[in-house]
Amino acid sequence: MHLKLRHLEVFHAVMEEGSVSKAADRLHLTQPAISIALSRLEDMLGFPLFHRSKGHFAPRPEAYLLHMDAELSILAVEQFSNRARLIKQGGTGLLRIGAIGAAAFGLLPELVARFTKDNPLVEIDLRVRSSHQISYLVSNGQCDIGLVEAPVAAPTLEVEQFSLPCVCIFPSGSALEQKDRITPADLADHRLVGIQDSNQVDRQVRAICAEAGFEVRAPVHGFFFAVVRRMVAEGAGIAIVDALNGCMPLQDGVSWRPFEPEIRYDTALVVKAGAELSLPSQAFIQIIRDEMKARAILPDVVAV
């Protein structure tokens, strides 16, 4: 028996509409086409489904027994088609992302919200870990995408690097707010909140200040840029942070200015080498690329 979807659709339409003419209008077919399809279905089944009298089709008991199965079969095919379309568009599946704090707080919440709005059936699992831990998770297939600090030296990973500017953040109302940009000399007059001594931003700050002729002290460290920003908001000092977190319009009493000479914060997008990425992964990676390109340029300073 070689049933076709069209046979089931015709049978279902006649049962729903109660007449061949209405079923023909519903399916945009001619009445003879409906009659032929029903006859072929009955021939394949080996028994009649309708009483025929002067063009009128009255369902037999067998037709009522099969009607629900026909409807469920049509719905199953529609579900299959819709699911396939969503998969093709990257609209369904599971996306596992590992990210360091800078990206997890300053970048990904907005991107995840934007992505899920267009892909509501995609499940997203965001894990905040250290760069080393994320690299391990991606290498072992436990995360699809990783955002880590650069540089990355791992033959098991494919790496795409991004470079972001850093800015100086300080409490709103500070005298620094009157400046167009902050220089090393400005740091000498303020208490600095650092990230951690081994962080690439802190290393650059110390090197620049040493070249300017003084040693910068950061008695407080926050590890995450977002935590450092919160401490600045509470008056713990000023800080140099990545633009992702520094330029966010949070209305938390923190202002920012460009820092000169320029300090860069390098991050990397990593995926497992040789892995076949799912469509959701491919789509989300492109969103990250576009956003990183846009964030590589500082926005205009907006007064708080």
Side-chain angles (χ1 to χ4, degrees):
M1 187 183 302
H2 298 289
L3 288 175
K4 294 182 179 180
L5 178 62
R6 176 56 79 185
H7 295 142
L8 298 181
E9 289 175 334
V10 168
F11 170 62
H12 177 62
V14 172
M15 293 293 292
E16 288 280 304
E17 299 297 337
S19 74
V20 171
S21 60
K22 291 181 179 180
D25 291 339
R26 173 172 167 173
L27 297 177
H28 305 291
L29 297 173
T30 63
Q31 293 186 40
I34 295 289
S35 298
I36 291 172
L38 287 177
S39 295
R40 288 178 177 172
L41 175 60
E42 290 174 326
D43 288 342
M44 285 185 285
L45 294 176
F47 53 83
L49 295 171
F50 297 91
H51 295 288
R52 291 169 171 81
S53 176
K54 296 181 181 180
H56 178 69
F57 284 63
R60 292 174 176 267
E62 293 81 4
Y64 289 109
L65 290 174
L66 290 175
H67 182 210
M68 182 60 69
D69 289 333
E71 183 176 17
L72 292 175
S73 298
I74 293 170
L75 291 175
V77 172
E78 290 178 353
Q79 182 178 359
F80 179 89
S81 177
N82 290 334
R83 180 64 59 86
R85 176 179 55 79
L86 287 170
I87 292 174
K88 182 178 180 181
Q89 297 173 348
T92 187
L94 172 63
L95 180 56
R96 301 165 301 174
I97 306 170
I100 53 175
F105 292 108
L107 176 70
L108 290 177
E110 177 186 346
L111 301 192
V112 167
R114 189 191 312 169
F115 183 81
T116 53
K117 182 178 180 180
D118 296 328
N119 303 274
L121 298 182
V122 175
E123 296 181 34
I124 294 183
D125 179 14
L126 174 59
R127 307 177 188 181
V128 184
R129 300 287 192 275
S130 69
S131 293
H132 177 75
Q133 291 170 324
I134 294 166
S135 297
Y136 177 82
L137 292 173
V138 174
S139 296
N140 287 276
Q142 297 176 55
C143 277
D144 304 301
I145 302 170
L147 282 170
V148 301
E149 285 195 348
V152 178
T156 57
L157 298 175
E158 293 179 7
V159 180
E160 184 173 351
Q161 189 162 317
F162 306 102
S163 185
L164 298 168
C166 290
V167 297
C168 180
I169 58 174
F170 46 83
S172 301
S174 166
L176 296 176
E177 208 164 26
Q178 304 304 315
K179 295 177 174 289
D180 293 330
R181 60 194 61 251
I182 308 303
T183 66
D186 297 313
L187 301 184
D189 298 326
H190 294 82
R191 184 170 59 252
L192 190 67
V193 180
I195 310 303
Q196 57 177 344
D197 289 342
S198 61
N199 183 272
Q200 57 176 287
V201 173
D202 278 11
R203 292 198 303 269
Q204 293 178 73
V205 170
R206 290 198 304 273
I208 288 172
C209 290
E211 188 174 342
F214 68 93
E215 180 180 354
V216 66
R217 291 185 65 255
V220 178
H221 295 87
F223 193 77
F224 289 122
F225 287 126
V227 174
V228 169
R229 174 166 178 150
R230 181 60 183 160
M231 288 194 286
V232 169
E234 295 295 336
I238 69 173
I240 307 296
V241 301
D242 72 314
L244 293 179
N245 290 277
C247 300
M248 292 179 70
L250 298 180
Q251 297 183 344
D252 58 351
V254 172
S255 297
W256 68 270
R257 292 292 184 273
F259 186 79
E260 189 177 278
E262 187 178 57
I263 290 177
R264 307 292 295 187
Y265 179 63
D266 296 331
T267 62
L269 187 153
V270 296
V271 297
K272 185 177 181 180
E276 183 176 355
L277 296 174
S278 66
L279 290 174
S281 295
Q282 295 177 39
F284 199 84
I285 285 173
Q286 189 57 53
I287 291 177
I288 292 174
R289 288 183 182 131
D290 294 342
E291 192 66 21
M292 283 296 199
K293 182 178 179 180
R295 300 286 189 101
I297 302 173
L298 289 177
D300 294 333
V301 175
V302 178
V304 178

